[in-house]
Amino acid sequence: MVVLALLGLSLATGQYSILSHADGWEMFRNVRVPRTLALVLAGAAMSMSGLVMQLITQNRFVEPTTTGTTEWAGLGLLAVMVVFPRASVLGRMAGAVTAAFLGTMVFFLLLRRVSLRSSLLVPIIGMMLGAVVSAVSTFVALQTDMLQSLGVWFQGSFTSVYRGQYEVLWIVVAVVAAIFYYADHLTAVGLGEDVATNIGVDYRRTVLIGTGLVAVATGTVTVVVGSLPFLGLIVPNLVSMRRGDDLRSNLPWVCLVGIALVTACDLLARTIIAPFEIPVAVVLGLVGAAVFIALIIRQTRRG
């Protein structure tokens, strides 16, 4: 009910009065509905991507924005725009997904070479890798006069979502369905390579599938919306704290809480300085940073 109420508010919120203008219905159909659908798809996809990353790495502080996956997706998107300036949305998405997958595998290779695998060291390595990739993207953007475009992509905003520009996001429905299908295998991977192998799960194959699903979700959301920081970190942790670690039963709740959180943050972003709007990534970043610090303190106290 809370999620439905938030989505209803999203459909009703906007500076353009759809009731007092003759083209109100067109505005509602072409802008409000696509934006709300994008909130649902992006919120569910990034929340579940964070959950998958946490299982693969066996670390609760990991998600696409703390492993550098989002930055790799942005670099891939930028590379496509430089080499193929007239590339379609699908072409850009292909570049972003490919770079996100390769970058995530680089992150895993780095982890395999680190002997000390503390819960805090893993996201620190990911954020450092992401910072390096982001610096490379900025340098390339400066050299090719695309710095403004790069900034827009990483703002993380739903302002550019309208009919004809968001439909590629429906791809993440397949990603969500695949995560539901592989839930048991991913749970086994989360118990470690030895346990997964002993119960008959192909560990490496499942890790590759999980990484591919995360790359597709992250690349697609990055192309359409941009970066949504900490969403994949906050939601799985909040759901686990409330319901335990039963992955299959938690998946629907992860979807719903992810949709609710990103919709609530988007409503704040749209109304806090109305009639202007701030990027939803700013609100998510503030909320996510506070929860991230709270989780670290909680983990430290537990030892």
Side-chain angles (χ1 to χ4, degrees), residues 100-182:
F101 180 80
L102 294 176
T104 306
M105 296 311 295
V106 170
F107 172 73
F108 287 149
L109 288 176
L110 283 175
L111 282 187
R112 294 178 72 89
R113 294 181 175 277
V114 177
S115 57
L116 183 60
R117 300 281 295 275
S118 74
S119 59
L120 296 180
L121 185 61
V122 174
I124 289 174
I125 293 174
M127 286 188 282
M128 289 175 65
L129 178 63
V132 172
V133 176
S134 180
V136 172
S137 298
T138 303
F139 176 76
V140 174
L142 276 171
Q143 296 297 315
T144 55
D145 294 328
M146 300 189 70
L147 191 60
Q148 186 174 2
S149 298
L150 186 70
V152 171
W153 293 330
F154 282 103
Q155 274 186 347
S157 174
F158 289 87
T159 53
S160 60
V161 174
Y162 52 88
R163 191 178 184 186
Q165 292 293 321
Y166 84 102
E167 284 78 0
V168 70
L169 270 178
W170 286 106
I171 291 174
V172 302
V173 174
V175 174
V176 171
I179 293 175
F180 271 98
Y181 180 78
Y182 283 105

Coordinates of all heavy atoms in Angstrom, one line a residue, residues 100-182:
A100 N 30.8 -2.5 -18.0 CA 30.4 -2.8 -16.7 C 30.8 -4.3 -16.3 O 31.3 -4.5 -15.2 CB 28.9 -2.6 -16.4
F101 N 30.6 -5.2 -17.2 CA 30.9 -6.6 -17.0 C 32.4 -6.8 -16.9 O 32.9 -7.4 -15.9 CB 30.4 -7.5 -18.1 CG 30.7 -8.9 -18.0 CD1 29.9 -9.7 -17.1 CD2 31.7 -9.5 -18.6 CE1 30.2 -11.1 -17.0 CE2 32.0 -10.9 -18.5 CZ 31.2 -11.6 -17.6
L102 N 33.2 -6.2 -17.8 CA 34.6 -6.3 -17.8 C 35.2 -5.7 -16.5 O 36.1 -6.2 -15.9 CB 35.2 -5.7 -19.0 CG 34.9 -6.4 -20.4 CD1 35.5 -5.6 -21.5 CD2 35.4 -7.8 -20.4
G103 N 34.6 -4.5 -16.2 CA 35.1 -3.8 -15.0 C 34.9 -4.6 -13.7 O 35.7 -4.6 -12.8
T104 N 33.7 -5.2 -13.6 CA 33.4 -6.0 -12.4 C 34.3 -7.2 -12.3 O 34.7 -7.6 -11.2 CB 31.9 -6.5 -12.5 OG1 31.1 -5.3 -12.7 CG2 31.5 -7.1 -11.2
M105 N 34.6 -7.8 -13.5 CA 35.6 -8.9 -13.4 C 37.0 -8.4 -13.0 O 37.7 -9.2 -12.3 CB 35.7 -9.6 -14.8 CG 34.4 -10.2 -15.3 SD 33.6 -11.3 -14.0 CE 34.8 -12.6 -13.9
V106 N 37.4 -7.2 -13.4 CA 38.6 -6.7 -12.9 C 38.6 -6.5 -11.4 O 39.6 -6.8 -10.7 CB 38.9 -5.3 -13.6 CG1 40.1 -4.6 -12.9 CG2 39.2 -5.5 -15.1
F107 N 37.5 -6.1 -10.9 CA 37.3 -5.9 -9.4 C 37.5 -7.3 -8.7 O 38.2 -7.4 -7.7 CB 35.9 -5.3 -9.1 CG 35.6 -5.3 -7.7 CD1 36.2 -4.4 -6.8 CD2 34.6 -6.2 -7.2 CE1 35.8 -4.4 -5.4 CE2 34.2 -6.2 -5.8 CZ 34.9 -5.3 -5.0
F108 N 36.8 -8.3 -9.3 CA 37.0 -9.6 -8.7 C 38.4 -10.1 -8.7 O 38.9 -10.8 -7.8 CB 36.1 -10.6 -9.4 CG 34.6 -10.4 -9.1 CD1 33.6 -10.7 -10.0 CD2 34.2 -9.9 -7.9 CE1 32.3 -10.6 -9.7 CE2 32.9 -9.7 -7.6 CZ 31.9 -10.1 -8.5
L109 N 39.1 -9.9 -9.8 CA 40.5 -10.3 -9.9 C 41.4 -9.6 -8.9 O 42.3 -10.2 -8.3 CB 41.1 -10.0 -11.3 CG 40.5 -10.8 -12.5 CD1 41.1 -10.4 -13.8 CD2 41.0 -12.3 -12.3
L110 N 41.1 -8.3 -8.6 CA 41.8 -7.6 -7.6 C 41.5 -8.2 -6.2 O 42.5 -8.4 -5.4 CB 41.4 -6.1 -7.6 CG 42.0 -5.2 -8.7 CD1 41.4 -3.8 -8.6 CD2 43.5 -5.1 -8.5
L111 N 40.3 -8.6 -6.0 CA 39.9 -9.2 -4.7 C 40.7 -10.5 -4.5 O 41.1 -10.8 -3.3 CB 38.4 -9.4 -4.6 CG 37.5 -8.3 -4.3 CD1 36.1 -8.7 -4.1 CD2 38.0 -7.5 -3.1
R112 N 40.8 -11.3 -5.5 CA 41.5 -12.6 -5.4 C 43.0 -12.4 -5.0 O 43.6 -13.3 -4.5 CB 41.4 -13.4 -6.7 CG 40.0 -13.8 -7.0 CD 39.9 -14.5 -8.4 NE 40.5 -15.9 -8.2 CZ 39.8 -16.9 -7.9 NH1 38.5 -16.8 -7.7 NH2 40.4 -18.1 -7.8
R113 N 43.6 -11.2 -5.3 CA 45.0 -11.0 -5.0 C 45.1 -10.3 -3.6 O 46.3 -10.1 -3.2 CB 45.6 -10.1 -6.1 CG 45.7 -10.8 -7.4 CD 46.3 -10.0 -8.5 NE 46.5 -10.7 -9.7 CZ 47.5 -11.5 -10.0 NH1 48.4 -11.7 -9.1 NH2 47.6 -12.1 -11.1
V114 N 44.0 -10.0 -2.9 CA 44.1 -9.4 -1.6 C 44.0 -10.4 -0.6 O 43.0 -11.2 -0.5 CB 43.0 -8.3 -1.5 CG1 43.1 -7.7 -0.1 CG2 43.2 -7.2 -2.5
S115 N 45.0 -10.6 0.3 CA 45.0 -11.6 1.3 C 44.1 -11.2 2.5 O 43.4 -12.1 3.0 CB 46.4 -11.9 1.8 OG 47.0 -10.7 2.3
L116 N 44.0 -9.9 2.8 CA 43.2 -9.5 3.9 C 41.8 -9.1 3.4 O 41.7 -8.1 2.6 CB 43.8 -8.3 4.6 CG 43.1 -7.7 5.8 CD1 42.9 -8.8 6.9 CD2 43.8 -6.5 6.4
R117 N 40.7 -9.9 3.7 CA 39.4 -9.7 3.1 C 38.4 -9.2 4.1 O 37.4 -9.7 4.3 CB 38.9 -11.0 2.5 CG 39.8 -11.5 1.4 CD 39.5 -10.8 0.1 NE 38.2 -11.0 -0.4 CZ 37.8 -12.1 -1.1 NH1 38.7 -12.9 -1.5 NH2 36.6 -12.2 -1.5
S118 N 38.8 -8.1 4.9 CA 37.9 -7.6 5.9 C 36.7 -6.9 5.2 O 36.7 -6.6 4.0 CB 38.6 -6.5 6.7 OG 38.7 -5.3 6.0
S119 N 35.6 -6.8 6.0 CA 34.3 -6.3 5.4 C 34.4 -4.9 4.9 O 33.7 -4.5 4.0 CB 33.2 -6.4 6.4 OG 33.6 -5.7 7.6
L120 N 35.3 -4.1 5.5 CA 35.5 -2.7 5.1 C 36.5 -2.5 3.9 O 36.4 -1.6 3.1 CB 35.9 -1.8 6.2 CG 34.9 -1.8 7.4 CD1 35.4 -0.9 8.5 CD2 33.6 -1.2 6.9
L121 N 37.5 -3.4 3.8 CA 38.5 -3.3 2.8 C 37.9 -3.5 1.4 O 38.3 -2.8 0.4 CB 39.6 -4.3 3.1 CG 40.8 -4.2 2.1 CD1 41.5 -2.8 2.3 CD2 41.8 -5.3 2.4
V122 N 37.0 -4.4 1.3 CA 36.4 -4.8 -0.1 C 35.7 -3.5 -0.7 O 36.1 -3.2 -1.8 CB 35.4 -6.0 0.1 CG1 34.7 -6.2 -1.3 CG2 36.2 -7.2 0.5
P123 N 34.8 -2.9 0.0 CA 34.2 -1.7 -0.7 C 35.2 -0.5 -0.9 O 35.1 0.2 -1.8 CB 33.1 -1.2 0.3 CG 33.4 -1.9 1.6 CD 34.1 -3.1 1.3
I124 N 36.2 -0.5 0.0 CA 37.3 0.6 -0.2 C 38.0 0.3 -1.5 O 38.3 1.3 -2.3 CB 38.2 0.6 1.0 CG1 37.5 1.2 2.2 CG2 39.5 1.4 0.7 CD1 38.3 1.2 3.5
I125 N 38.4 -0.9 -1.8 CA 39.1 -1.3 -3.0 C 38.2 -0.9 -4.2 O 38.6 -0.3 -5.2 CB 39.4 -2.8 -3.0 CG1 40.5 -3.1 -2.0 CG2 39.9 -3.2 -4.4 CD1 40.8 -4.6 -1.9
G126 N 36.9 -1.2 -4.1 CA 35.9 -0.9 -5.2 C 35.8 0.5 -5.4 O 35.8 1.0 -6.6
M127 N 35.7 1.3 -4.4 CA 35.6 2.8 -4.5 C 36.9 3.4 -5.1 O 36.8 4.4 -5.9 CB 35.2 3.4 -3.2 CG 33.7 3.2 -2.8 SD 33.1 4.1 -1.4 CE 33.8 3.1 -0.1
M128 N 38.0 2.9 -4.7 CA 39.3 3.4 -5.2 C 39.4 3.0 -6.7 O 39.8 3.9 -7.6 CB 40.5 2.8 -4.5 CG 40.6 3.3 -3.1 SD 41.9 2.4 -2.2 CE 43.4 2.9 -3.1
L129 N 39.0 1.8 -7.1 CA 39.0 1.5 -8.5 C 38.0 2.3 -9.3 O 38.3 2.8 -10.4 CB 38.6 0.0 -8.7 CG 38.5 -0.6 -10.1 CD1 39.8 -0.5 -10.8 CD2 37.9 -2.0 -10.1
G130 N 36.8 2.6 -8.7 CA 35.8 3.5 -9.3 C 36.3 4.9 -9.5 O 36.1 5.5 -10.5
A131 N 37.1 5.4 -8.5 CA 37.7 6.7 -8.6 C 38.7 6.8 -9.8 O 38.7 7.8 -10.5 CB 38.3 7.1 -7.3
V132 N 39.5 5.7 -9.9 CA 40.5 5.7 -11.0 C 39.7 5.7 -12.4 O 40.1 6.5 -13.3 CB 41.4 4.5 -10.9 CG1 42.3 4.4 -12.2 CG2 42.2 4.6 -9.7
V133 N 38.7 4.9 -12.5 CA 37.9 4.8 -13.8 C 37.2 6.1 -14.0 O 37.2 6.6 -15.2 CB 36.9 3.7 -13.7 CG1 36.1 3.6 -15.0 CG2 37.7 2.3 -13.6
S134 N 36.7 6.7 -13.0 CA 36.0 8.0 -13.1 C 37.0 9.1 -13.6 O 36.6 10.0 -14.4 CB 35.4 8.4 -11.8 OG 34.7 9.7 -11.9
A135 N 38.2 9.1 -13.1 CA 39.3 10.0 -13.5 C 39.6 9.8 -15.0 O 39.8 10.8 -15.7 CB 40.5 9.9 -12.7
V136 N 39.7 8.6 -15.4 CA 40.0 8.3 -16.8 C 38.8 8.9 -17.7 O 39.0 9.5 -18.8 CB 40.1 6.8 -17.1 CG1 40.2 6.5 -18.6 CG2 41.4 6.3 -16.4
S137 N 37.6 8.6 -17.2 CA 36.4 9.1 -18.0 C 36.4 10.6 -18.1 O 36.1 11.2 -19.2 CB 35.1 8.7 -17.3 OG 35.0 7.3 -17.3
T138 N 36.8 11.3 -17.0 CA 36.8 12.8 -17.0 C 37.9 13.3 -18.0 O 37.7 14.2 -18.7 CB 37.1 13.3 -15.6 OG1 36.1 12.8 -14.7 CG2 37.2 14.8 -15.6
F139 N 39.1 12.6 -18.0 CA 40.1 13.0 -18.9 C 39.7 12.8 -20.4 O 39.9 13.7 -21.2 CB 41.4 12.1 -18.7 CG 42.5 12.4 -19.6 CD1 43.3 13.5 -19.5 CD2 42.8 11.5 -20.7 CE1 44.3 13.8 -20.4 CE2 43.8 11.7 -21.6 CZ 44.6 12.9 -21.4
V140 N 39.1 11.7 -20.7 CA 38.6 11.4 -22.0 C 37.5 12.5 -22.4 O 37.5 13.0 -23.5 CB 38.0 10.0 -22.2 CG1 37.4 9.8 -23.5 CG2 39.1 9.0 -21.9
A141 N 36.6 12.8 -21.5 CA 35.6 13.7 -21.7 C 36.1 15.1 -22.0 O 35.7 15.9 -22.8 CB 34.6 13.8 -20.6
L142 N 37.2 15.5 -21.2 CA 37.8 16.8 -21.4 C 38.5 16.8 -22.8 O 38.4 17.9 -23.5 CB 38.9 17.0 -20.4 CG 38.5 17.6 -19.0 CD1 39.6 17.5 -18.0 CD2 38.0 19.0 -19.2
Q143 N 39.1 15.8 -23.2 CA 39.8 15.7 -24.5 C 38.8 15.8 -25.7 O 39.2 16.1 -26.8 CB 40.7 14.5 -24.6 CG 41.8 14.5 -23.6 CD 42.8 15.6 -23.8 OE1 43.2 15.9 -25.0 NE2 43.2 16.3 -22.8
T144 N 37.6 15.3 -25.5 CA 36.6 15.2 -26.6 C 35.4 16.2 -26.4 O 34.4 16.0 -27.1 CB 36.1 13.7 -26.6 OG1 35.5 13.4 -25.3 CG2 37.2 12.8 -27.0
D145 N 35.6 17.1 -25.5 CA 34.5 18.1 -25.3 C 33.2 17.5 -24.9 O 32.1 17.9 -25.4 CB 34.3 19.0 -26.6 CG 35.6 19.9 -26.8 OD1 36.2 20.3 -25.9 OD2 35.9 20.1 -28.0
M146 N 33.2 16.5 -24.1 CA 32.0 15.8 -23.7 C 31.8 15.8 -22.1 O 31.1 15.0 -21.6 CB 32.0 14.4 -24.2 CG 32.0 14.2 -25.7 SD 31.8 12.6 -26.3 CE 30.0 12.4 -25.9
L147 N 32.5 16.8 -21.5 CA 32.5 16.8 -20.1 C 31.1 17.1 -19.5 O 30.6 16.6 -18.5 CB 33.4 17.9 -19.5 CG 33.7 17.9 -18.0 CD1 34.3 16.6 -17.6 CD2 34.6 19.0 -17.6
Q148 N 30.3 18.0 -20.3 CA 29.0 18.3 -19.8 C 28.1 17.1 -19.9 O 27.3 16.8 -19.0 CB 28.4 19.4 -20.7 CG 27.1 19.9 -20.2 CD 26.6 21.1 -21.0 OE1 27.2 21.6 -21.9 NE2 25.4 21.7 -20.6
S149 N 28.2 16.3 -21.0 CA 27.4 15.1 -21.2 C 27.7 14.1 -20.1 O 26.8 13.5 -19.5 CB 27.7 14.5 -22.5 OG 27.3 15.4 -23.6
L150 N 29.0 14.0 -19.7 CA 29.4 13.1 -18.7 C 28.8 13.5 -17.4 O 28.3 12.6 -16.6 CB 31.0 13.0 -18.6 CG 31.5 12.0 -17.6 CD1 31.4 10.6 -18.1 CD2 33.0 12.3 -17.3
G151 N 28.8 14.8 -17.1 CA 28.2 15.2 -15.8 C 26.7 14.9 -15.8 O 26.2 14.5 -14.7
V152 N 26.0 15.1 -16.9 CA 24.6 14.8 -17.0 C 24.3 13.3 -16.7 O 23.4 13.0 -16.0 CB 24.0 15.2 -18.3 CG1 22.6 14.7 -18.5 CG2 24.0 16.7 -18.5
W153 N 25.1 12.5 -17.3 CA 24.9 11.0 -17.1 C 25.1 10.6 -15.7 O 24.4 9.7 -15.2 CB 25.9 10.2 -18.0 CG 25.7 10.4 -19.5 CD1 24.5 10.6 -20.1 CD2 26.7 10.3 -20.5 NE1 24.7 10.7 -21.4 CE2 26.0 10.6 -21.7 CE3 28.0 10.2 -20.5 CZ2 26.7 10.6 -22.9 CZ3 28.7 10.2 -21.7 CH2 28.0 10.4 -22.9
F154 N 26.0 11.2 -15.0 CA 26.3 10.8 -13.6 C 25.5 11.5 -12.6 O 25.7 11.3 -11.4 CB 27.8 10.9 -13.3 CG 28.5 9.7 -13.9 CD1 29.3 9.9 -15.0 CD2 28.5 8.4 -13.3 CE1 30.0 8.8 -15.6 CE2 29.1 7.4 -13.9 CZ 29.9 7.5 -15.0
Q155 N 24.6 12.5 -13.0 CA 23.8 13.2 -12.1 C 22.8 12.3 -11.4 O 22.4 12.4 -10.2 CB 23.0 14.3 -12.8 CG 23.8 15.6 -12.9 CD 23.0 16.7 -13.4 OE1 21.9 16.5 -14.0 NE2 23.5 17.9 -13.3
G156 N 22.3 11.3 -12.1 CA 21.3 10.4 -11.6 C 20.0 11.1 -11.4 O 19.6 11.5 -10.3
S157 N 19.3 11.4 -12.5 CA 18.1 12.2 -12.5 C 17.1 11.5 -13.4 O 17.4 11.0 -14.5 CB 18.4 13.6 -12.9 OG 17.2 14.3 -13.0
F158 N 15.8 11.7 -13.1 CA 14.7 11.2 -13.9 C 14.1 12.3 -14.8 O 13.0 12.1 -15.4 CB 13.6 10.5 -13.0 CG 14.1 9.2 -12.4 CD1 14.8 9.2 -11.2 CD2 13.8 8.0 -13.0 CE1 15.2 8.0 -10.6 CE2 14.2 6.8 -12.5 CZ 14.9 6.8 -11.3
T159 N 14.7 13.5 -14.8 CA 14.2 14.6 -15.6 C 14.1 14.3 -17.1 O 13.3 14.9 -17.8 CB 15.0 15.9 -15.3 OG1 16.3 15.6 -15.6 CG2 14.8 16.3 -13.9
S160 N 15.1 13.5 -17.6 CA 15.1 13.3 -19.0 C 14.3 12.0 -19.4 O 14.4 11.6 -20.6 CB 16.6 13.1 -19.4 OG 17.2 12.0 -18.8
V161 N 13.6 11.5 -18.5 CA 12.8 10.3 -18.8 C 11.4 10.7 -19.3 O 10.6 11.4 -18.6 CB 12.6 9.4 -17.5 CG1 11.7 8.2 -17.8 CG2 13.9 8.9 -17.0
Y162 N 11.1 10.4 -20.5 CA 9.8 10.6 -21.1 C 9.6 9.6 -22.2 O 10.5 8.7 -22.5 CB 9.7 12.0 -21.7 CG 10.8 12.4 -22.6 CD1 10.8 12.1 -24.0 CD2 12.0 13.1 -22.1 CE1 11.8 12.5 -24.8 CE2 13.0 13.4 -23.0 CZ 12.9 13.1 -24.3 OH 13.9 13.5 -25.2
R163 N 8.4 9.6 -22.7 CA 8.0 8.5 -23.7 C 9.0 8.6 -24.9 O 9.2 9.6 -25.5 CB 6.6 8.8 -24.2 CG 6.0 7.7 -25.0 CD 4.5 8.0 -25.4 NE 3.9 6.9 -26.1 CZ 2.7 7.0 -26.6 NH1 2.0 8.1 -26.5 NH2 2.2 5.9 -27.2
G164 N 9.5 7.4 -25.2 CA 10.4 7.3 -26.4 C 11.9 7.3 -25.9 O 12.8 7.0 -26.7
Q165 N 12.1 7.6 -24.6 CA 13.5 7.6 -24.1 C 13.8 6.6 -23.0 O 14.9 6.5 -22.5 CB 13.8 9.0 -23.6 CG 13.9 10.0 -24.7 CD 15.1 9.8 -25.7 OE1 16.2 9.4 -25.2 NE2 14.9 10.0 -26.9
Y166 N 12.7 5.9 -22.5 CA 12.9 5.1 -21.3 C 12.7 3.6 -21.6 O 13.0 2.8 -20.8 CB 12.0 5.5 -20.2 CG 10.6 5.0 -20.3 CD1 10.2 3.9 -19.5 CD2 9.7 5.4 -21.3 CE1 8.9 3.3 -19.7 CE2 8.4 4.9 -21.4 CZ 8.1 3.8 -20.6 OH 6.8 3.3 -20.7
E167 N 12.1 3.3 -22.8 CA 11.6 1.9 -23.0 C 12.7 0.9 -22.9 O 12.4 -0.3 -22.6 CB 11.0 1.9 -24.4 CG 9.6 2.5 -24.6 CD 9.7 4.0 -24.6 OE1 10.8 4.6 -24.6 OE2 8.6 4.7 -24.7
V168 N 14.0 1.2 -23.1 CA 15.0 0.3 -23.0 C 15.1 -0.3 -21.6 O 15.7 -1.4 -21.3 CB 16.4 0.9 -23.4 CG1 16.8 1.9 -22.5 CG2 17.4 -0.2 -23.6
L169 N 14.6 0.4 -20.6 CA 14.6 0.0 -19.2 C 13.8 -1.3 -19.0 O 14.0 -2.0 -18.0 CB 14.0 1.1 -18.3 CG 15.0 2.1 -17.7 CD1 14.3 3.1 -16.9 CD2 16.1 1.4 -16.9
W170 N 12.9 -1.6 -19.9 CA 12.1 -2.8 -19.8 C 13.0 -4.1 -19.8 O 12.6 -5.2 -19.4 CB 11.0 -2.9 -20.8 CG 9.9 -2.0 -20.6 CD1 9.6 -0.8 -21.3 CD2 8.9 -2.1 -19.6 NE1 8.5 -0.2 -20.8 CE2 8.0 -1.0 -19.7 CE3 8.6 -3.0 -18.6 CZ2 6.9 -0.8 -18.9 CZ3 7.5 -2.9 -17.8 CH2 6.7 -1.7 -17.9
I171 N 14.2 -3.9 -20.3 CA 15.2 -5.1 -20.3 C 15.4 -5.6 -18.9 O 15.6 -6.8 -18.7 CB 16.5 -4.6 -21.0 CG1 16.2 -4.4 -22.5 CG2 17.6 -5.7 -20.8 CD1 17.4 -3.9 -23.2
V172 N 15.4 -4.6 -17.9 CA 15.7 -5.1 -16.6 C 14.6 -6.0 -16.0 O 14.9 -6.7 -15.0 CB 15.9 -3.8 -15.6 CG1 17.0 -2.9 -16.1 CG2 14.6 -3.1 -15.4
V173 N 13.5 -6.1 -16.6 CA 12.5 -7.0 -16.2 C 13.0 -8.4 -16.3 O 12.8 -9.3 -15.5 CB 11.1 -6.8 -16.9 CG1 10.1 -8.0 -16.6 CG2 10.5 -5.5 -16.6
A174 N 13.7 -8.7 -17.5 CA 14.3 -10.0 -17.7 C 15.4 -10.3 -16.7 O 15.6 -11.4 -16.2 CB 14.9 -10.0 -19.1
V175 N 16.1 -9.2 -16.3 CA 17.2 -9.4 -15.3 C 16.6 -9.8 -13.9 O 17.0 -10.7 -13.3 CB 18.0 -8.1 -15.1 CG1 19.0 -8.2 -14.0 CG2 18.7 -7.8 -16.4
V176 N 15.5 -9.1 -13.6 CA 14.8 -9.4 -12.3 C 14.3 -10.8 -12.3 O 14.4 -11.6 -11.3 CB 13.7 -8.4 -12.0 CG1 12.8 -8.8 -10.8 CG2 14.2 -7.0 -11.8
A177 N 13.7 -11.2 -13.4 CA 13.2 -12.6 -13.5 C 14.3 -13.6 -13.4 O 14.2 -14.7 -12.8 CB 12.4 -12.8 -14.9
A178 N 15.4 -13.3 -14.1 CA 16.6 -14.3 -14.0 C 17.1 -14.4 -12.6 O 17.5 -15.5 -12.2 CB 17.7 -13.8 -15.0
I179 N 17.1 -13.3 -11.9 CA 17.6 -13.3 -10.5 C 16.7 -14.2 -9.6 O 17.1 -15.0 -8.8 CB 17.7 -11.9 -9.9 CG1 18.9 -11.1 -10.6 CG2 18.0 -11.9 -8.4 CD1 19.0 -9.7 -10.2
F180 N 15.4 -14.1 -9.9 CA 14.4 -15.0 -9.2 C 14.7 -16.4 -9.5 O 14.7 -17.3 -8.6 CB 13.0 -14.6 -9.5 CG 12.4 -13.6 -8.7 CD1 12.4 -12.2 -9.0 CD2 11.8 -13.9 -7.4 CE1 11.8 -11.3 -8.2 CE2 11.3 -13.0 -6.6 CZ 11.2 -11.6 -7.0
Y181 N 15.0 -16.7 -10.8 CA 15.3 -18.1 -11.2 C 16.5 -18.7 -10.6 O 16.6 -19.8 -10.2 CB 15.4 -18.1 -12.8 CG 15.6 -19.4 -13.4 CD1 14.6 -20.4 -13.5 CD2 16.9 -19.8 -13.8 CE1 14.8 -21.6 -14.0 CE2 17.1 -21.1 -14.3 CZ 16.1 -22.0 -14.4 OH 16.3 -23.2 -14.9
Y182 N 17.6 -17.8 -10.5 CA 18.9 -18.3 -10.0 C 19.0 -18.0 -8.5 O 20.1 -18.1 -8.0 CB 20.0 -17.6 -10.7 CG 20.3 -18.2 -12.1 CD1 19.9 -17.5 -13.2 CD2 20.9 -19.4 -12.3 CE1 20.1 -18.0 -14.5 CE2 21.1 -19.9 -13.6 CZ 20.7 -19.2 -14.7 OH 20.9 -19.8 -15.9

